[in-house]
Amino acid sequence: MTYSSEVEKMCVVAKGPKHGPAPIPEEGKWIQAKEISDISAYTHGVGWCAPQQGACKLSLNVKNGIIEEALVETIGCSGMTHSAAMAAEILPGKTILEALNTDLVCDAINTAMRELFLQIVYGRSQSAFSDDGLVIGAGMEDLGKGARSMVGTMYGTKAKGVRYLEMTEGYCTRMALDENNEVCGYEFVSLGKMTDFIKQGLSPNEAYEKSLGHYGRFSEEDGAVKYIDPRKE
């Protein structure tokens, strides 16, 4: 350590407070985090790319400073999905400091990592008050039984009104309209379930029919008077 001559000539003044950093909540405990290895948390958040044409939702399960599980979900340009594939391979096994300083290929994923780092080291995590945190696999559980991202895609114009394209439940096949031409329900097909049924040996048509569902006042008995294909009508 090299000191300037001005500092060398100074006398020593004893330091008073030695209480360490403020404790943060981690997995049901209050921790005075001094090293990266002191950090354990499950958290998720969103990042965006520089031109703001796409976003990434990143979920990390960190144990003792090391990323044990990563879920990378992207929406935007086509390159983001391939970037997510690389990031999901890169992240597990790294410390959160290594991950913060690693090129995760896509701007949006890098930004998400930065935002999650801040959440984690300040004690703002989903598992802050959960004893022993969340198990490895919590990210997959977030996706639900179909193991697919929950994406909402809606489109609307002043001239023609709203169109439901994709809901949490799946791909919207039909919209139900009431006597006032207002939306009163919708039909959807769960693509995850349909694919699983096909893998189990069902024909595509059987799998499709078995994976259909609806929400709201979709039947004629409930007030639906017209059904439209949101992509064509």
Side-chain angles (χ1 to χ4, degrees):
M1 191 79 67
T2 303
Y3 296 93
S4 69
S5 59
E6 289 84 356
V7 174
E8 286 282 6
K9 293 174 184 177
M10 291 178 181
C11 65
V12 176
V13 176
K15 180 179 179 180
K18 297 179 182 178
H19 48 62
I24 61 174
E26 288 185 30
E27 301 191 340
K29 303 179 184 68
W30 288 96
I31 304 294
Q32 284 188 302
K34 299 178 182 179
E35 308 289 341
I36 291 297
S37 57
D38 293 331
I39 302 294
S40 293
Y42 179 88
T43 192
H44 40 218
V46 176
W48 53 95
C49 61
Q52 299 188 21
Q53 64 186 14
C56 165
K57 180 192 171 191
L58 180 62
S59 305
L60 299 178
N61 203 344
V62 179
K63 303 289 184 184
N64 302 316
I66 296 173
I67 297 170
E68 297 287 347
E69 174 188 18
L71 171 64
V72 190
E73 301 170 84
T74 59
I75 184 167
C77 70
S78 58
M80 296 179 79
T81 56
H82 298 77
S83 298
M86 289 183 270
E89 186 173 354
I90 290 168
L91 284 167
K94 285 188 178 293
T95 69
I96 55 173
L97 185 58
E98 285 180 299
L100 184 67
N101 290 288
T102 297
D103 183 6
L104 300 173
V105 190
C106 171
D107 267 357
I109 306 174
N110 285 317
T111 303
M113 183 63 228
R114 180 194 72 197
E115 297 302 307
L116 263 65
F117 181 88
L118 294 175
Q119 290 179 27
I120 292 168
V121 298
Y122 282 120
R124 274 75 167 176
S125 71
Q126 186 175 327
S127 60
F129 300 103
S130 302
D131 288 342
D132 299 321
L134 300 182
V135 299
I136 310 304
M140 283 295 289
E141 291 175 5
D142 277 352
L143 292 176
K145 292 181 180 179
R148 299 186 77 243
S149 297
M150 289 176 277
V151 177
T153 307
M154 311 297 156
Y155 176 73
T157 60
K158 180 181 176 182
K160 300 295 182 177
V162 70
R163 297 296 185 275
Y164 296 176
L165 303 176
E166 187 95 18
M167 286 283 190
T168 295
E169 302 96 330
Y171 177 98
C172 293
T173 52
R174 289 190 295 167
M175 294 169 58
L177 308 181
D178 63 15
E179 60 184 4
N180 298 318
N181 248 19
E182 295 178 353
V183 181
C184 61
Y186 59 88
E187 180 185 64
F188 61 86
V189 58
S190 173
L191 298 178
K193 288 182 181 179
M194 185 176 76
T195 304
D196 286 341
F197 286 140
I198 292 172
K199 287 191 291 185
Q200 292 167 15
L202 268 65
S203 71
N205 285 340
E206 288 176 314
Y208 176 81
E209 292 296 331
K210 197 171 179 179
S211 302
L212 284 174
H214 57 79
Y215 185 83
R217 295 184 293 116
F218 190 76
S219 67
E220 293 180 3
E221 291 80 5
D222 289 331
V225 298
K226 182 180 181 181
Y227 301 94
I228 63 169
D229 181 334
R231 290 167 176 79
K232 296 181 178 179
E233 296 178 75

